[in-house]
Amino acid sequence: MKIGEIQQELITSLLSIHNEGEAGTICDWVLEYHTGRNRMQRMIDKETQLPSETITAILLCKDQLLQHRPVQYVLGEAWFMGLKFFVNEAVLIPRPETEELVALLLDSCKLNSDEGLMSFILDIGTGSGCIPIALKKQLPGADIVSVDVCNEALQTAIKNASANQVSVNFLHMNFLDENKWDSLPVFDTIISNPPYIPLSEKATLDKHVIAWEPGTALFVPDNDPLLFYKKIGIFGKTHLAAGGKIFVETHQDYAVAAQQMFEENSYATELKKDINGNDRMITAWVA
């Protein structure tokens, strides 16, 4: 089968479950991954015959994609802040909004012109490790501790830290268990993209999210959507250094409520919108 032929077969199949833009993007990722050619090179080489093993691999990808398995899981990789990460069903797929959270912390560091203010960082709910690894790349002098309740997620994060040649201290911990907090020191900065989607919204999410991404990293009880922000606020009272800051990603519909909750607990706050204009990131510090 030629490059042009398998490209046409893949895009036609993907159009049965995706719109044209999504189908085209996914097709590009799969074909570049398996052929080593970008879009322009594939146009030039469209009459080139592909090896049988490459054809088999692409068709296997197609079968998985038609089951709504995210392309990042199919290929086993995703990109975040210009870095490549291994991903699997134990970890969330890194998202652009979380890149904005990391950028917010880094901008705060530059604004203060003092990396010392960011020298000891805690990341809560690390997943793939994308947040602490991206931070360590930009702040090589920082010491970063990163916790997660899922051991398989931690193993993925450890693999990603090694692949990206950075050192992060990963800990297996249920952060919601306050009895575990005494084992943690005081931090200059706390950052988290915690679970924040109420369970009642599960049915509204895309099939590729519901069927494949880890629910423990996505959902919180309907009766306590601010669960993680409450815990982080309480934790910060005893584990955030003077002058330190908390950076969290939030659900757009609960961002104001989360901001108010921090303020009711004597934090000063700033709420920022993401690139799509949705309330997304809260910075909090002891007033």
Side-chain angles (χ1 to χ4, degrees):
M1 188 176 285
K2 298 175 182 178
I3 288 178
E5 293 172 337
I6 201 163
Q7 178 167 310
Q8 186 58 50
E9 178 172 339
L10 182 56
I11 196 75
T12 299
S13 297
L14 292 173
L15 284 170
S16 67
I17 60 172
H18 293 286
N19 63 41
E20 186 175 351
E22 292 171 339
T25 297
I26 294 170
C27 183
D28 282 342
W29 287 355
V30 171
L31 293 180
E32 183 163 346
Y33 180 90
H34 284 292
T35 70
R37 295 172 170 87
N38 62 31
R39 185 184 300 181
M40 182 61 68
Q41 291 169 328
R42 293 196 305 273
M43 288 178 62
I44 295 170
D45 298 339
K46 64 181 180 180
E47 296 299 320
T48 298
Q49 185 73 31
L50 287 170
S52 60
E53 59 269 23
T54 302
I55 296 169
T56 298
I58 293 171
L59 294 178
L60 179 61
C61 284
K62 183 192 74 171
D63 292 342
Q64 295 180 67
L65 292 166
L66 291 177
Q67 296 176 46
H68 296 275
R69 191 180 187 205
V71 63
Q72 293 92 340
Y73 291 155
V74 172
L75 300 180
E77 65 179 38
W79 291 83
F80 183 86
M81 302 288 287
L83 303 172
K84 186 168 77 172
F85 288 83
F86 300 107
V87 292
N88 52 46
E89 283 81 352
V91 303
L92 287 182
I93 295 166
R95 287 166 166 80
E97 294 87 350
T98 308
E99 289 188 336
E100 294 185 63
L101 178 68
V102 171
L104 179 64
L105 188 158
L106 293 172
D107 286 345
S108 177
C109 181
K110 292 175 184 176
L111 186 64
N112 286 288
S113 299
D114 184 1
E115 288 192 15
L117 295 175
M118 306 289 183
S119 62
F120 200 15
I121 301 172
L122 173 66
D123 166 52
I124 300 168
T126 194
S128 65
C130 62
I131 289 177
I133 291 168
L135 287 174
K136 186 67 173 179
K137 279 289 190 180
Q138 296 296 316
L139 302 170
D143 289 321
I144 304 178
V145 174
S146 201
V147 303
D148 202 289
V149 69
C150 175
N151 190 59
E152 189 177 352
L154 285 173
Q155 295 309 308
T156 303
I158 290 168
K159 181 178 179 181
N160 280 319
S162 176
N164 284 286
Q165 299 180 311
V166 298
S167 176
V168 174
N169 184 13
F170 292 105
L171 299 177
H172 185 217
M173 175 183 291
N174 179 5
F175 180 77
L176 296 179
D177 183 354
E178 296 185 23
N179 293 321
K180 306 293 186 182
W181 292 357
D182 286 343
S183 65
L184 296 172
V186 172
F187 295 92
D188 302 304
T189 304
I190 299 168
I191 186 169
S192 181
N193 174 25
Y196 56 65
I197 302 174
L199 269 171
S200 58
E201 294 186 15
K202 185 175 182 178
T204 68
L205 301 179
D206 291 338
K207 288 183 180 179
H208 66 268
V209 175
I210 297 171
W212 297 98
E213 297 202 63
T216 54
L218 290 168
F219 300 113
V220 287
D222 290 334
N223 64 355
D224 199 3
L226 302 181
L227 172 63
F228 278 87
Y229 306 105
K230 290 177 184 176
K231 292 287 189 176
I232 292 170
I234 296 168
F235 177 83
K237 287 304 189 69
T238 55
H239 288 76
L240 184 65
K245 289 185 176 181
I246 296 170
F247 298 84
V248 292
E249 183 176 326
T250 67
H251 189 304
Q252 65 189 61
D253 295 340
Y254 296 92
V256 172
Q259 180 185 27
Q260 291 173 344
M261 187 217 66
F262 277 112
E263 291 175 349
E264 289 168 0
N265 284 280
S266 303
Y267 289 92
T269 67
E270 182 179 11
L271 175 60
K272 294 186 72 70
K273 297 183 183 294
D274 62 24
I275 195 170
N276 297 311
N278 298 316
D279 290 335
R280 186 65 62 191
M281 296 159 286
I282 296 172
T283 305
W285 59 96
V286 177

